[in-house]
Amino acid sequence: MGKPITPMKPRVSQYGVAPEFVTKRMAEYPEMTSVMLKDLFADTPEVIYPSEKGLDAVREAAEKALANVDMSMIKPGDSVNVCASHHGFTLLGGEPYALLLKTVRDIIAERTGTDNIRLRAGVGLRFRETEEYIKAFGLDKHYKGRAKGVAPVDEGIPIETEIGTLYGIKAIYDADWIVHVHNSDVREVHFHRQVDRAVKPFGMSYARIETRSTYHQNLGPRAANFTARAIFGSEFVQNKFAFAAFLDMSPAGVVGVDADNDLLALNDRLTVNGCKYYGKIITLFGEIDECIAGLDFPCPVPYVFAAGVIYCNFAGANVDLFDLDNPLPPYTWYTEAFYGKNGRPLVGDVPVVNPAIKMVVHNYAWGGYPSAFFSSHVPTIVVGREQADLINRDPQNIEYVKHSVIADDLDSAMEFAYKTAKTDKVIIFDGAVGGLNVSESLAQLLIEKAPQVNKRVDVELMPKWLKQRGIDPATVK
Amino acid sequence: MRLVNMLAQVDAEKCTGCKTCVKVCPTLAIQIVDRKAVIDSEKCRSCNNCQQRCPVYAITMVKREKPFKVYVDPATEDRTKIDELCAKAKFNPEQIICYCTETRAEEIAAAILKGYDTPEKISLHTGVRTGCKVECIQPVLRLLEAAGITPERPDGWQWYGRTPTVWDIPEDVKAKYSKRGFYFDNDIELLNKVAQTKKSGKEDN
Ligand code: SF4
Ligand code: SF4
């Protein structure tokens, strides 16, 4: 246990309150401490970032990984779209991903002689979010004015796939070649279930609304990510796809950069690493018996991070999200859809939202993602009238504050939470790097439970998870 | 149910008449008049699409003085017909098909029975497709198809077409990928079970 880790700074964004309204962070309380991932799990991988070398380590790793990639198909004068997604910018402050995007551009220009290289950055449900990142990280300048954010409501293009017609965003594909620059952070395991995770943006941030709706409404909770595979496997995309470059992530930071002309080979490598690196911490979160959860990070409610795990996966940590024998996570859109008018599930397969979460203190988290499910299932206190007003104006969250109480400030929210939730265990989703900020009482529980979780994942769960994904555990080191 | 509490407002000085907003508005509330965008406040459902896509930031969202709700009450239409439409589209009538507005399949079925025969009219009267603007187009198209309606596409980017469902996936495709972690048949089983289960019984409110 150590001093709390500095939380990720609030960000200026149209989707959250202005940083000046975030007057106090949850990690500032004297009862808070931090636990490092290395102290929980000895096999936590070494990271290149954050490290003493700083961002240079990311550039070096990117250059090394890209050296092995074939770019000979790109001829001088060819147009290239470097495709990015908002998610990468939410990792470790966003600089490592922005630098990877800059390095990819530099190396394509140097090796192929073309200068017609554009950045096309897709989004989740906040249509100007990557526009904000493009400006904040100087990507427009680096891409010589050819950088733009694209949204799923922009002009589309039909793509013929093995299962029928799906639709992509036209601006993603309006070049001779596309380069897929992403990261291996597991993040939405409740959606993709760590199946073809590396391919997901083809069915999501690069896709039109028709395709994204197919993913979340037409296919089902364990077939959903096939939408992405179907698009990626189409002749149309295969004819344009040049290569992929990924930040290889662990909950502790950037492990390296992986690049390949074969996205599916890269996907297999990342599937194993994702199960291993994230499987342990998510399983450990499932051991928490009771707590107050603090949301304190510049992202929408489900996407705030603690130890590399997003809050909505903590809301589902009472179920093994990697185990494909479990049809529905406690939170995913199919699950949300299956609650009837009386507030009870329509079928018995719907697991309850993690009962360990006794109360949520929403100190700082954005709108721009339908989040009423969370405030209607877990008692929630929103800190600050400005924040509540902002959420009430958000078309995706008309009902969120209705299910919450509002506190004037963090002190009164915490006082109320301790009294009402009757627990002194607190977990803070504030993006602390290398570990997580928690109350001392919760730190003790995590340290106590980690060894048996470690063993269970290595011996019992990892082999099962890999087999379910068609990977022979014997081939994995 | 959708509470409409905001309204899009155009700054005519900034507007270039590019029509982007017209092409993304889910309720067709925008027209170009004398090369400027004009918003019909009666039809705006405060979805933010135009404000989020205008290339010159000419649109702002302002608070409505009189917020109102849009909702089609399923109790006002024939229950058997609602249930039949939902079953044909493979939805449970109580299944939520729009997460932002908590709209259930039965409300869309009722809207269709009232004669709202395009996604645009359905959005105007129920508020679906005016929250995230992304996830609920397929259920709307599936329910229209179940009613035998092929809506005409508006002259914009509002939507392109109905896409495949898990029931449409060819057997050879399933066989090729099911060992890689895609559980197609199990998902079909689950979705069928949801669609066929009886309602929770709570009265409409
Ligand atoms: S998108 Fe903006 S500039 Fe274009 S017509 Fe609409 S308001 Fe005018
Ligand atoms: S419904 Fe949406 S896109 Fe249409 S005018 Fe209103 S805010 Fe703009």
Side-chain angles (χ1 to χ4, degrees), chain A residues 146-215:
Chain A
R146 290 174 171 155
K148 75 169 175 184
V150 297
V153 293
D154 291 350
E155 187 171 6
I157 183 163
I159 300 174
E160 299 311 321
T161 77
E162 273 178 298
I163 58 170
T165 310
L166 294 167
Y167 298 87
I169 298 168
K170 195 174 172 194
I172 288 283
Y173 297 105
D174 67 354
D176 298 317
W177 302 103
I178 57 166
V179 173
H180 173 41
V181 183
H182 202 52
N183 68 82
S184 68
D185 178 29
V186 162
R187 206 168 83 132
E188 295 169 317
V189 66
H190 58 296
F191 283 151
H192 58 68
R193 305 301 295 272
Q194 195 64 1
V195 177
D196 274 3
R197 193 254 163 283
V199 186
K200 185 168 178 262
F202 287 91
M204 203 50 58
S205 47
Y206 307 162
R208 273 273 313 178
I209 60 166
E210 296 77 10
T211 300
R212 292 174 64 162
S213 183
T214 308
Y215 191 114

Side-chain angles (χ1 to χ4, degrees), chain A residues 216-338:
Chain A
H216 291 299
Q217 307 262 16
N218 280 7
L219 288 204
R222 287 169 295 178
N225 212 29
F226 190 70
T227 318
R229 168 64 86 107
I231 290 192
F232 178 68
S234 69
E235 212 183 310
F236 174 75
V237 174
Q238 285 300 306
N239 285 340
K240 285 181 183 289
F241 182 76
F243 65 91
F246 271 55
L247 277 184
D248 187 5
M249 297 297 299
S250 84
V254 183
V255 178
V257 173
D258 200 345
D260 209 311
N261 294 96
D262 182 349
L263 178 61
L264 300 179
L266 184 148
N267 179 66
D268 282 349
R269 295 194 289 275
L270 300 182
T271 299
V272 176
N273 289 351
C275 287
K276 198 157 88 186
Y277 301 154
Y278 292 85
K280 285 187 181 173
I281 187 70
I282 294 182
T283 306
L284 180 61
F285 278 7
E287 293 291 320
I288 295 173
D289 57 348
E290 54 172 35
C291 71
I292 295 162
L295 316 181
D296 208 1
F297 182 88
C299 255
V301 167
Y303 294 117
V304 296
F305 285 100
V309 179
I310 51 175
Y311 167 65
C312 67
N313 285 335
F314 181 48
N318 49 320
V319 166
D320 180 350
L321 302 176
F322 290 90
D323 184 353
L324 294 170
D325 289 340
N326 296 325
L328 287 167
Y331 168 72
T332 191
W333 273 337
Y334 287 102
T335 306
E336 183 169 352
F338 300 161

Side-chain angles (χ1 to χ4, degrees), chain B residues 10-11 14-22 30 32 35-39 50 53-59:
Chain B
V10 180
D11 180 342
K14 285 189 191 159
C15 175
T16 62
C18 76
K19 290 193 191 159
T20 301
C21 54
V22 179
I30 314 177
I32 301 290
R35 282 193 247 146
K36 300 285 172 195
V38 176
I39 290 169
C50 53
R53 299 321 291 151
C54 172
V56 296
Y57 307 88
I59 297 178

Side-chain angles (χ1 to χ4, degrees), chain B residues 8 25-27 29-30 39 44-50 61:
Chain B
C25 177
T27 55
I30 314 177
I39 290 169
C44 171
R45 293 290 172 267
S46 64
C47 80
N48 286 15
N49 249 1
C50 53
M61 300 303 297

Side-chain angles (χ1 to χ4, degrees), chain A residues 15 127-128 131 154 156 162-163 208 210 213-214 216-218 220-223 337 339 341 349 392, chain B residues 5 51-54 57 94 96-97 104 106 135 138 142 157 160 163-164 166 176-177 187 193 204:
Chain A
Y15 305 105
F127 297 165
R128 291 205 196 269
E131 230 174 74
D154 291 350
E162 273 178 298
I163 58 170
R208 273 273 313 178
E210 296 77 10
S213 183
T214 308
H216 291 299
Q217 307 262 16
N218 280 7
R222 287 169 295 178
Y339 276 88
K341 283 189 285 187
D349 309 70
N392 275 334
Chain B
N5 55 357
Q51 179 261 2
Q52 289 281 294
R53 299 321 291 151
C54 172
Y57 307 88
E94 290 200 24
I96 293 173
I97 60 95
R104 296 175 192 275
E106 61 180 13
E135 309 301 347
Q138 290 308 325
R142 279 166 59 186
W157 310 325
Y160 287 96
T163 54
V166 71
K176 197 158 119 195
Y177 295 100
D187 275 5
K193 188 169 155 190
D204 299 318

